[in-house]
Amino acid sequence: QVQLVESGGGLVQTGGSLRLSCTASGSTFSSNTMGWYRQGPGKQRDVVASIDTAGATYYADSVKGRFTISRDNAKNTVYLQMNSLKPEDTAVYYCNAKLFAMNFWGQGTQVTVSS
């Protein structure tokens, strides 16, 4: 199994930046595809970005050019650097790990972007 702990959320003004971190334990981190999802009030949980074991990345269209996902396998940590934040980025952000057919989720961290 994989256990995930997120940090780095908070309140930021429009145009500001935050960096989210997710540290994994309980399994081989380097074998997991990692991702960040977000869920706003009354909305579905949607993928924001992902990074596979080879370092290939995916971004939702809404965050391309603003967000960067990265991973540090030595630290068992995946990051989401969020720049040029907008109010519509406000959501609970969840770290996700995929291992074969299994999905593991962190507890979520709140990101609020004020106008």
Side-chain angles (χ1 to χ4, degrees), residues 36-91:
W36 288 97
Y37 290 66
R38 67 186 181 187
Q39 185 171 19
K43 298 181 179 180
Q44 291 184 265
R45 185 178 298 185
D46 294 325
V47 65
V48 175
S50 66
I51 183 166
D52 70 11
T53 57
T57 57
Y58 164 85
Y59 297 96
D61 288 342
S62 59
V63 306
K64 286 181 179 177
R66 300 188 298 121
F67 291 10
T68 302
I69 189 171
S70 61
R71 65 192 297 164
D72 186 338
N73 290 340
K75 297 181 178 180
N76 292 344
T77 300
V78 63
Y79 305 94
L80 185 67
Q81 179 66 48
M82 304 185 294
N83 298 326
S84 302
L85 284 162
K86 306 173 181 179
E88 51 262 45
D89 296 319
T90 295

Side-chain angles (χ1 to χ4, degrees), residues 11-15 85-88 90 112-115:
L11 175 65
V12 66
Q13 293 182 357
T14 297
L85 284 162
K86 306 173 181 179
E88 51 262 45
T90 295
T112 302
V113 184
S114 66
S115 59

Side-chain angles (χ1 to χ4, degrees), residues 1-5 23-29 31-32 76 97 99 104:
Q1 295 185 1
V2 178
Q3 296 172 325
L4 306 171
V5 179
T23 299
S25 63
S27 187
T28 303
F29 179 81
S31 67
N32 298 326
N76 292 344
L99 182 61
F104 302 91

